[in-house]
């Protein structure tokens, strides 16, 4: 029984496994002892190595990892923990490692379990022993938390810039075609006339909320460096100095919370998810508008796709993918939340999986923003089709006008609503529009109706009447358009 | 073929269905014509009614709905849209409806599809025709968006208050037992000694981030009232006035965005989800600590549960449910995101489902906060068990001290790390702690080791040395504790 | 410090808490000692009670719980563990409890933590001491697993019956209007002509796959009763007998797996989720078809809803909710999976949350099936609108026919595809249909084109040519319709 | 306004965009016309290309795509649609393409949007014009559905093989150390003694249910080839022949359902998710067992990892990742369900995203199975630590025995449960085990207790008494072990 197995027996067995493959698995262990395997005999099992190694995922954080190490080394020097000469060598070495990543010449090594070990390994190759001094007063736990916090700074900037690009494209369309009139839909039923500019600026405004969310951190934006493995460190680090150099508002407080929390990452993913959801709705509308049934929009050739079998097709694949890809972003947020759920305080390996989740959300959203912009920069609108839909007498888009007409004549809204219901029924039965009904039918529906009703039953009147803040009246929409142009600097 | 079916045929058929049940379904339609069914013949199919009716869900928003209507009516009066007398009657009637909800005497009516229709129906019963005038210049689309925004104000307040209760309970424990020492774990392996107070304040701090997120709206907190069905309204509403009365920063801008967006609801759910996730981790730690194997904590009788078969059990059901219930909160967030995904701009019925999702998240989190507080107010800690775990010589919790010892003597961290690895192996082979190793073994592991190493190999020394900002040194923890006491006003 | 607190001190404190409210909480503990609280002092904290108590959720399993207890008691008698007289009394008592649940006269008691304790408590009230003997050789762990397995039997039957109702409604529509012709869409672009019957039977077939999944258990359908708390029991139970009486294929094997696994529940939820997803797509198509732009369908008054502001609206709320409610079903599946994730083997309280998740999925799907059927039983189709869409010369639905024409003349498919692309471009430029192009344009596009091409460029020809198995030719669709009628027994 | 823009203007604009970059975007369109872009002017926008192109994801289906094409070509020949010579050339060419993929020498081309176009493009390069004839009577819609169905065949086989590997490793451990005794836990509280073999075989059995689910298709396993774009095809294909050649039970029926449904993919992901969930629980138990507090298990060096800062650590990263990676698998299932939700019938581009979701689930689960097996093949158990936990007198694992003792003497279970509760309280107060209580305390707790109680209060007696089917008695466990050895062929 293995309980009684002595340490030496175990070691022999392990050594043998390392030499001849795991019993029954046929796999040889891989890698040398590695920086962290000092106490272990033999290499790591390939299956564990495969699931454990994160370098392919986290190598994209090389900038942040090197920035963190640079600041850490400088502070170690200033605090007298490392000699100035060592710090200079480390800085020189880190700069070289950065150049290699930048140029794509960085050569992976089987020992590179993650970006942190890869940078330190290469640094030590380049500058020798001093490279091994860098990790003093630090753990990968606070290091990775710092890298992620820095990474979020960059990701937020990249994403907000692209959101603005989409907003600019929408504003340009509103400037070009904003006075076209189309039906506003609720429940996908024609409801009321609306300016295309009003619709386009609705997207601009929803994206503005998303952009504002993406732009700022959800919390206090503090630097975890110095939290060590989770209890702090015995070295007299100057946490304020590193936080400052790295662009944070200050150092985090409680060291345990610092290495345990993934709240900021999660909330960043949440803002990505709402942005993706907004884009998914833009995609849904484009799919509808590009259908022959709606016929309101036509995507340019460069943003349309063909069919392998039906030569006539002009498919809005990009718009459909806005819909579909939003699932990936939302579900990355779910992954982040679930990964953390039920973990004891402190660091558990599970937390490593925050990176693929976040990066997938970011990459997907970046692509979505690019394709949204591309489509908006190459779409044309069919004003005649829109107009036909608005003016279709059987669409009854002006029924609300008739109700408001009565209310303005002192009738209660519910009574007015009911009277117009009767009017619509009468018009439907005759197959005509409301304005086509003879006076006697109007009066029969409600005594306060008369021929002057027809004055409000025009699309132009309905639009102009909605000049309230946020309304679709041309004056209101032009005002908003001007404001957005100023705001977006165009 | 039904395409050629005349309107009158259809009506006859529908009437018959209303009278004798749907063909083949055996169900009679229910309800009267209802406020909104004026144009339709017969009642609504019971299956549709069941899936469509939201009053059982949204009746909890009666306060917000009445507040919104009160402000709307006042403004209609001030703008001369309703006569002052009607407004007074409406206000008196709404106050009465509020009293009925408050007292639990509000009587539902089959017509009450949702809270909006229920309030208006009852108002009209109470004050007659003037009740029917209330909806002028308003749609359920902007009304429900306003109700939800108001509801979030209250929910945020309710939740943050309860988070503070949990923080207070944690601070009280830290004040009582904070100087107990237990192992800090990473990967559920003993890592380093830590003060219980440090652990408890880590929870306080993580909850503080959650609390801050819950406290403020994610966006600009604007009032949708006046957006109408989504295009504005033809009445000269004073949107600033209603926004002000209802406690918003101002009115929303684009009316389409106002009725389409659920971003604020979604982000509120996201902050609930991170809070629930934090609590799930507290629960996970309590489950571990209450196990006989850890033995660090014992929940009081009032917060423990028994077994139907094993009389000796003292189960931490509350802690387990913190873990499990967090799933519900996170998944409510997913529901909110998915509901919106791919919807065209404007209002679609799908959006109605935002309420059950949000309310379930809120209710679940409220329960979780209550049970977390209850457990923290009735838990005792076993200092002896904690101490035994820390002092267990085979736990090697002080290995980091030995490495730092070498670094302070000029050895590079990696070399030190490796040397201590050898030391641990040697100690494991002898079945002793690091401090029990003879000097020659120390020196063999690294030339810079000597007997003075033993001075740093005590729990007390390890703790005191971590006096850095955020560290676990008693002085640092006491400082933090004092700060939290001040902050939480205790 | 509480670590040194003696047991008696703790008890005194607890007793005091029970009497005067929890310290700082203002809440009194509730309930009596309860069946399971024998060893605990005082009642349970109200917060724990609220989150812990599951009776409001699991009371719906009263039939299953009583059936399980009835079988268990009979077997205890047959094995000589209980005297025959006690078994008779228990059976009589359980029958009475069942009648009370059936009649809605069962009175809850504060002690009723869950359905199991409620039934046993009431049984003991009714028959006295013998009620307390029922739980011999059983734990709530195997009892609840058995109840859930039985519950799934019923749920599967209820759901499959309703799926068949929807299929029957679809088949009736196919019989009534199946020969109408409408465009088949891919990417929401018109692709090819298709029979309405073909579309309707596609739904029937997709639902058939769902139905088959719902009908059968995902696994071996074994009875957990007798697994005890998870290690078996010391009583000589006849597990085969209870399994048989309860309608299972046999008893489960490993007792730990029996109380730990929720696989069957999870897979049941997965089949519910695919069914809900199918219905969500039916809903999406109905929303489109009911739009004025498509205009293919009109829902009857009883399954349409109105607007609070726009009197002309005829909203397909039921169809929208099919889309939205599917989110709830899918996310209940996610909840089930996440609840189990990372739980140690054995029973953890987290598993209790499987019931609200499953029941919500079931209830939601039941409502969805009802509303789908109601809409399908009250929808009319507009054959003229469908036909106009198919025959619209600018829709180019027959482009595939032209390509296939060339292939039949020996041209490679890719060359044919390209030639037809040119043909469509030429027709678009002239604003005509393919059949309207003069011969010379045909020949210019490809030498093998000639005037006989026009013979295949009719909707009728395109439909008839697709007589392959599964194709949309009228003959093929009629064959399928007949088969479905037979299969569904109509 | 663009509505009046003539086709030629649009083309010119597009051409310009193709030449000089999209207005405002700085991106040039990429690619040539491509196989499907015949009718479009210029290339595809790089942003659309990036989000649209799926070849990097679906190239792994080259075997299935080529198999499908091979069968399709043979059948085209047999039906006289292609000349035999063309079929021979196609077969030869496809074999060559397969060899290139196999050897890793297949060279991608910018035109290769997906695996289907890549194979056809290369085929045509290799054999010329005949390559362009392959797609007759087929669409990518039925082609990709067929590829996926074939892919599932292979994935199921790969996964079930690996599940068996894990089962074999568990059975080997049960054979080696199965008679060790450890506590069975519920709520992570010690409950009853159990054999390690019983625990290990519980995993085997839960995995067996997962394996059975993975092994078979969820539905009827039919071949979609011949469904064309969704309406069938005008060519006289022999769908039964291709279905047979490809190993399906037959062709699908309704062509629309064939290209629309992703049910089989979804259910495959569901079975992957339950398997991953089972493994996550194995991981959770290993993490606990490897903690110093439990101390039941020790992972070998090759499957342990070190710390970057704490030299003494032996982290069970693999076990933690089993917990974490299960999130990825479950959420891939959610992605699949959500992708389909609300899509109209027919093919939408959204469905393309089923592949990354499925493949990620499969790859993750494959890694999880590998690492689970690796850990199980290199774990040792500490029988002494297990035994100490079982025999710990304050653990009261034998309380159930005392209750059953009373029941066997005619006491009702509830009365017995209460009496043992008192016994445990008495023993706790004295700090002893139940068997250490003097006779008078026993009798005070219940009159039917006497000294013979101590006979059942031994671990051995408790285990042996559970010889019921599925119980943990050594005889029962040995029987099960033998059965599993036979079944797994070891």
């Amino acid at each position: 029984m293995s309980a009684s197995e002595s340490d030496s027996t175990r070691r022999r067995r392990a050594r043998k496994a390392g030499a001849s493959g795991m019993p029954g698995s046929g796999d040889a262990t891989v890698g040398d002892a590695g920086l962290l395997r000092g106490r272990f005999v033999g290499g790591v099992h390939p299956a564990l190595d495969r699931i454990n190694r994160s370098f392919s995922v986290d190598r994209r954080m090389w900038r942040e990892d090197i920035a963190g190490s640079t600041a850490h080394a400088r502070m170690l020097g200033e605090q007298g923990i490392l000699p100035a000469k060592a710090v200079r060598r480390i800085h020189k070495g880190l700069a070289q490692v950065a150049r290699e990543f930048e140029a794509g010449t960085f050569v992976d090594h089987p020992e590179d379990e993650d970006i942190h070990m890869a940078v330190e390994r290469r640094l030590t190759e380049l500058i020798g022993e001093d490279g091994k001094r860098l990790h003093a007063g630090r753990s990968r736990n606070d290091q990775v938390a710092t890298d992620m916090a820095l990474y979020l700074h960059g990701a937020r900037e990249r994403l907000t810039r692209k959101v603005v690009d989409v907003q600019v494209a929408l504003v340009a369309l509103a400037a070009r075609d904003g006075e076209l009139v189309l039906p506003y839909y609720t429940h996908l039923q024609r409801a009321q006339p609306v300016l295309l500019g009003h619709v386009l600026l609705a997207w601009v405004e929803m994206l503005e909320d998303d952009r504002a969310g993406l732009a700022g951190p959800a919390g206090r934006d503090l630097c975890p460096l110095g939290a060590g493995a989770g209890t702090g460190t015995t070295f007299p680090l100057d946490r304020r100095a590193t936080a400052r150099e790295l662009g944070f508002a200050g150092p985090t407080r409680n060291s345990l919370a610092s290495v345990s929390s993934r709240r900021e990452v999660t909330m960043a993913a949440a803002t990505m998810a709402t942005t993706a959801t907004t884009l998914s709705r833009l995609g849904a509308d484009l799919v509808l508008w590009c259908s022959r049934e709606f016929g309101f929009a036509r995507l340019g050739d460069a943003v349309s796709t063909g069919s392998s079998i039906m030569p006539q097709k002009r498919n809005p694949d990009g718009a459909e993918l806005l819909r579909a890809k939003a699932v990936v972003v939302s579900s990355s947020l779910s992954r982040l939340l679930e990964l953390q759920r039920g973990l004891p305080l402190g660091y558990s390996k599970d937390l490593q999986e925050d990176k693929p989740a976040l990066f997938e959300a970011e990459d997907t959203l970046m692509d979505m923003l690019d394709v949204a912009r591309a489509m908006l920069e190459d779409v044309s609108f069919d004003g005649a089709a829109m107009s036909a839909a608005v003016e279709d007498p059987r669409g009854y888009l002006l029924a609300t006008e008739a109700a408001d007409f009565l209310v303005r004549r002192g009738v209660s809204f519910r009574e007015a609503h009911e009277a117009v219901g009767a009017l619509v029924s009468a018009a439907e039965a005759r197959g005509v529009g409301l304005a086509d009904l003879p006076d006697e039918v109007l009066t029969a529906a409600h005594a306060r109706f008369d021929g002057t009703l027809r004055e409000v039953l025009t699309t132009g009147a309905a639009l102009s009447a909605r000049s309230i803040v946020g309304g679709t009246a041309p004056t209101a929409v032009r005002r908003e358009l001007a404001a957005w142009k100023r705001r977006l600097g165009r």
Side-chain angles (χ1 to χ4, degrees), chain A:
Chain A
M1 209 220 34
S2 48
S4 59
E5 185 184 62
S6 75
D7 274 324
S8 59
T9 316
R10 206 166 353 91
R11 257 153 210 268
R12 265 198 310 279
R13 191 159 53 79
R15 233 177 257 122
K16 208 170 137 250
S20 66
M22 300 311 302
S25 82
D27 290 326
T29 59
V30 296
D32 243 336
L35 290 183
L36 310 176
R37 299 191 60 75
R39 206 162 54 90
F40 297 135
V41 179
V44 64
H45 191 288
L48 177 60
D49 187 64
R50 198 161 52 241
I51 207 171
N52 201 40
R53 180 183 297 271
S54 63
F55 189 35
S56 65
V57 168
D58 58 26
R59 75 177 299 145
R60 68 160 72 187
M61 301 201 306
W62 63 265
R63 263 186 204 85
E64 290 77 12
D65 198 73
I66 291 173
S69 288
T70 303
H72 184 64
R74 186 182 339 275
M75 182 274 298
L76 288 179
E78 277 160 15
Q79 297 297 101
I81 299 164
L82 285 196
K85 218 161 60 176
V87 174
R88 276 197 302 276
R89 278 203 208 98
I90 288 173
H91 279 177
K92 216 177 134 187
L94 288 172
Q96 172 62 16
V97 180
R99 277 191 297 275
E100 294 179 5
F101 272 110
E102 189 79 67
T105 60
F106 184 92
V107 182
D108 294 6
H109 186 279
E111 224 171 66
D112 296 344
E113 184 182 317
D114 53 33
I115 180 65
H116 323 300
M117 302 319 291
V119 168
E120 186 177 326
R121 188 265 312 158
R122 180 66 184 135
L123 174 68
T124 302
E125 282 174 8
L126 288 169
I127 68 165
E129 283 302 297
D130 281 333
K132 299 184 175 174
R133 311 179 88 161
L134 172 60
H135 208 54
R138 196 173 68 172
S139 157
R140 277 189 296 182
N141 293 356
D142 59 340
Q143 190 179 359
V144 71
T146 305
D147 287 7
M148 279 296 268
L150 284 172
Y151 185 85
L152 286 179
H153 290 181
R156 288 176 179 291
E157 202 199 312
R158 285 189 290 279
L159 288 165
T160 49
R161 225 169 344 172
K162 282 201 187 287
V163 172
V164 170
D165 287 344
V166 176
Q167 289 178 306
V168 166
L170 286 160
V171 165
L173 287 178
R176 188 186 80 187
D177 293 331
E179 312 254 329
L180 297 178
V181 182
L182 75 164
Y184 164 65
Y185 296 81
T186 62
H187 307 261
L188 211 62
Q189 297 289 307
R190 291 179 190 165
Q192 293 168 346
V194 74
L195 283 195
L196 177 59
H198 196 55
V199 178
L200 294 167
L201 293 181
W203 291 117
V204 175
E205 193 160 314
M206 291 177 78
L207 285 170
E208 179 64 12
D209 288 336
D210 293 322
R211 194 203 56 73
L214 287 170
R220 288 169 298 156
D221 200 29
L222 304 176
C223 181
L225 204 59
T231 64
T233 169
T234 67
F235 295 96
L237 307 186
D238 182 350
R239 297 189 59 198
R240 275 175 199 83
T242 42
R244 201 182 317 116
E245 174 167 350
L246 294 170
F248 290 96
T252 55
R253 300 256 290 269
N254 190 294
S255 53
L256 250 75
S258 306
V259 304
S260 295
S261 172
R262 290 297 181 271
R263 186 175 193 279
E264 190 59 49
V265 179
T266 309
M267 291 305 292
T271 58
M272 293 181 202
T274 67
T275 312
T277 302
T278 304
L279 293 175
S280 79
R281 300 178 70 175
L282 174 62
D285 266 339
L286 282 176
V287 170
L288 284 175
W289 291 8
C290 288
S291 71
R292 179 112 187 112
E293 284 66 24
F294 281 75
F296 296 168
R298 180 183 171 101
L299 291 172
D301 286 7
V303 288
S304 296
T305 53
S307 155
S308 78
I309 170 168
M310 294 163 292
Q312 86 279 16
K313 297 298 292 299
R314 170 180 290 275
N315 293 329
D317 286 31
E320 295 171 279
L321 287 172
L322 286 187
R323 236 168 26 187
K325 291 281 191 184
V327 174
V328 172
V329 184
S330 297
S331 108
S332 297
L333 169 60
S334 301
R335 288 182 180 185
L336 277 165
L337 282 161
E338 281 306 330
L339 279 170
Q340 299 168 68
R341 192 179 56 83
L343 284 188
L345 206 61
Y347 183 83
S348 292
K349 186 69 173 187
D350 314 58
L351 291 176
Q352 175 177 291
E353 297 302 303
D354 66 343
K355 279 175 288 301
L358 181 79
F359 297 163
E360 188 178 19
E362 181 199 1
D363 294 349
T364 305
L365 183 54
M366 291 289 277
D367 280 350
M368 289 172 71
L369 289 163
D370 278 341
V371 86
R373 174 199 183 180
M375 288 190 295
L376 294 169
E377 285 176 350
D378 196 14
V379 67
S380 55
F381 296 112
D382 188 334
M386 290 177 175
S387 180
V390 170
E391 302 299 342
D392 171 4
R394 308 270 326 244
Y396 303 107
L397 277 83
L398 302 176
T400 315
E401 312 313 303
D404 288 358
F405 174 94
L406 284 183
V407 171
R408 277 190 298 271
R409 296 194 162 192
V411 178
S412 80
F413 181 77
R414 278 300 152 223
E415 188 179 325
H417 186 275
E418 208 168 319
V420 180
L423 221 54
V424 172
S425 291
E428 276 190 328
R430 290 163 186 247
V432 300
L434 295 186
D436 306 321
L437 289 169
D439 284 10
E440 62 271 22
V441 174
L442 298 183
T443 319
H446 199 284
R448 300 272 172 97
F449 275 137
D450 58 34
T452 64
L453 169 65
R454 293 194 192 88
E455 289 163 24
V456 305
L457 291 182
T458 74
T459 300
L463 288 168
S464 302
R466 282 167 174 76
S467 58
I468 192 173
V469 176
T472 191
T475 50
V477 173
R478 276 181 218 127
R479 211 165 42 224
E480 287 294 302
L481 178 59
W484 278 113
K485 276 179 169 170
R486 276 194 307 278
R487 188 159 183 175
L488 294 166
R490 316 280 152 156

